[in-house]
Amino acid sequence: TEKLNFSASSKKAATKLTPEEKIISHNNFYEFGTGKSDPVENAQQFKVNPWRLSIEGLAEKPFTLDYDDLFKQFPLEERIYRLRCVEAWSMVVPWIGFSLASLIKKAKPLSSAKYVAFETLYDPEQMPGQRSRFAGGGINYPYIEGLRIDEAMHPLTLLSVGLYGKTLPAQNGAPIRLVVPWKYGFKSIKSITRIRLTDKRPPTSWNQLAANEYGFYANVNPNVDHPRWSQASERRISGAGLFSRNRIDTKMFNGYEEVAALYQGMDLRKHF
Amino acid sequence: MAQLHFFKLKPAHLPWLKCIIHLSALVPLLLTFFQAFNDELGGDPVSALLHFTGLGAFKLLLLSLLVTPLARLLKQGLLINVRRLLGLYSFTYALAHIASYVLFDLQLDWPLLLSEIVKRPYITVGFVGWLILLALALTSTKQAQRKLGKRWQSLHNSVYLAAILVSIHFLWSVKSAILEPTIYIVMTALLLAYRRDKFKRWFNKRIKNRQKI
């Protein structure tokens, strides 16, 4: 990882940051193995330069970014976000990146664009998890995710290229990943190569694998349990050791109440 | 049938064998807890601890179920003497597993513990399996064996049920990576298949009893 130039976060973190060591060693990135410590072990040889990220589909001006563009086309800023995993653990991460909205606006989306589809790099040579269904936890690669266009354009929605002042480590989704802080972590797709504007709701990887457990929206919601565990509380990974009382109540939309308007009139039990 | 002509287990070997079992079960357990206390067990020591103790309990349970077939196959009758020790270590790991869950994962949130046991089938199943292992551990002494007489054997036959419950608990607990649980389920199935005559006799007896009524 290399040092990045960015404008520091205007908001002070209300809670303590999760130590960098934890953020870069506890990852769900099945492309590099299904264990939490597999990615940090298997991703170190991952080549991110050269890279191509294309913005395509229902847009007037589709374009592609190469590796250097990722850091130069848009001004970078630090955003300290809570990350809530669907597995009921959470972290506080100082991301560096730019709004997805600024990227989408540059492509001039057509009014028919209702959804945004994302795709992770497909490269079984480099990503051992993609070589077989068994190695990759049953996911049909490449990993795909999607957002409604208004979710994608929300100012909180971030494309991240770094954390803790440096470019992203491979296991955290280098060179560029999505961060949607009010949704469960699996929505924040890593190592993105394609962003496509579309008029249909795109399929998403975890929803394809187990639709009864992982919905399209995946908004953090303490009132809707995962079928196999409660989502009412979470363990904040803090680095304070085994005896730290780090189980805290989970907040609606992970505490980002400003997104509530996006879902007005929707039954969030049905659209979980 | 295979037979080890060059080696015959003698009573004098047993303390050594037991010593090896003590060391290989206790040292990793203590070491893992030590690492967890010092936060040297990856990003989330709690989940690492849960995984290690749960899998350890399952491995030891399967080992204890392997003793009888192995003793017969290799004609080493004395091997039976280590079965109880392996079973007790399986329970020790299972105890560490449930203690880690209550102390470090749920952090003594008792209402949450109760609702999780009731609401989540994989936890219900795991908990019942743990209760069986607890009952077996408590009645593992010679004294209990004498006291319970015939009923002791029927009680301890529930170890097969425990093995099935633990398999289901493991399979249901994973998000999608089912390769590892599948391997364990196959091993469990093989060890149970070895007892098929026992199960047949048991079922026949049940049917007969029912016909009498």
Side-chain angles (χ1 to χ4, degrees), chain B residues 29-70:
Chain B
L29 185 65
L30 295 176
L31 204 66
T32 305
F33 268 91
F34 181 76
Q35 285 177 314
F37 287 129
N38 291 306
D39 209 359
E40 289 166 358
L41 214 56
D44 185 7
V46 178
S47 70
L49 207 53
L50 283 172
H51 206 77
F52 171 80
T53 51
L55 209 54
F58 199 2
K59 281 178 192 162
L60 284 156
L61 187 64
L62 292 181
L63 270 179
S64 75
L65 288 174
L66 184 65
V67 170
T68 306
L70 210 59

Side-chain angles (χ1 to χ4, degrees), chain B residues 147-168:
Chain B
K147 224 175 168 181
L148 287 168
K150 253 189 160 179
R151 282 173 302 156
W152 188 88
Q153 190 55 56
S154 6
L155 176 65
H156 280 246
N157 281 343
S158 60
V159 71
Y160 305 126
L161 178 62
I164 293 169
L165 294 176
V166 170
S167 305
I168 298 170

Side-chain angles (χ1 to χ4, degrees), chain A residues 22 137 225 228 246-247, chain B residues 39 44 105 107 120 172 176:
Chain A
K22 297 280 179 188
D225 283 352
R228 287 180 286 134
N246 59 356
R247 186 165 277 283
Chain B
D39 209 359
D44 185 7
D105 193 1
Q107 303 177 5
R120 319 289 166 198
W172 279 353
S176 77

Side-chain angles (χ1 to χ4, degrees), chain A residues 90-211:
Chain A
S90 62
M91 293 181 172
V92 183
V93 187
W95 300 108
I96 294 154
F98 51 90
S99 327
L100 175 60
S102 53
L103 179 111
I104 292 177
K105 274 182 203 149
K106 199 181 167 202
K108 298 209 181 307
L110 303 176
S111 59
S112 53
K114 301 284 184 244
Y115 292 93
V116 186
F118 303 85
E119 202 173 297
T120 294
L121 176 71
Y122 181 71
D123 186 356
E125 291 264 308
Q126 290 203 79
M127 295 172 149
Q130 293 179 337
R131 286 177 207 154
S132 81
R133 281 276 179 122
F134 267 133
I139 290 169
N140 186 15
Y141 292 104
Y143 193 93
I144 45 175
E145 257 306 336
L147 294 172
R148 231 168 47 190
I149 190 87
D150 56 343
E151 296 176 320
M153 298 302 286
H154 194 280
L156 281 174
T157 306
L158 187 74
L159 279 173
S160 168
V161 296
L163 62 84
Y164 265 108
K166 293 163 282 183
T167 53
L168 287 174
Q171 63 272 23
N172 292 83
I176 186 161
R177 65 168 293 167
L178 185 67
V179 181
V180 193
W182 71 91
K183 291 175 180 286
Y184 292 122
F186 68 87
K187 291 295 285 184
S188 295
I189 184 170
K190 292 168 171 161
S191 306
I192 308 169
T193 57
R194 213 149 78 102
I195 298 177
R196 194 167 43 85
L197 296 156
T198 164
D199 53 354
K200 288 183 198 68
R201 193 165 100 174
T204 59
S205 285
W206 278 101
N207 183 247
Q208 282 181 327
L209 198 62

Side-chain angles (χ1 to χ4, degrees), chain A residues 22 25-26 30 34 87 134 137 206 209 214 225-230 235 237 239 241-247, chain B residues 36-37 39 42-46 49 103-107 112 116 119-120 122 172-177 179:
Chain A
K22 297 280 179 188
S25 65
H26 186 75
Y30 280 20
T34 54
E87 297 163 357
F134 267 133
W206 278 101
L209 198 62
Y214 311 100
D225 283 352
H226 184 278
R228 287 180 286 134
W229 55 82
S230 164
R235 268 190 314 105
I237 293 178
L242 207 50
F243 281 104
S244 64
R245 302 287 84 168
N246 59 356
R247 186 165 277 283
Chain B
F37 287 129
D39 209 359
D44 185 7
V46 178
L49 207 53
L103 285 175
F104 308 130
D105 193 1
L106 301 187
Q107 303 177 5
L112 182 58
E116 290 293 271
K119 275 204 262 182
R120 319 289 166 198
Y122 91 95
W172 279 353
S173 71
V174 299
K175 226 159 79 173
S176 77
L179 178 60

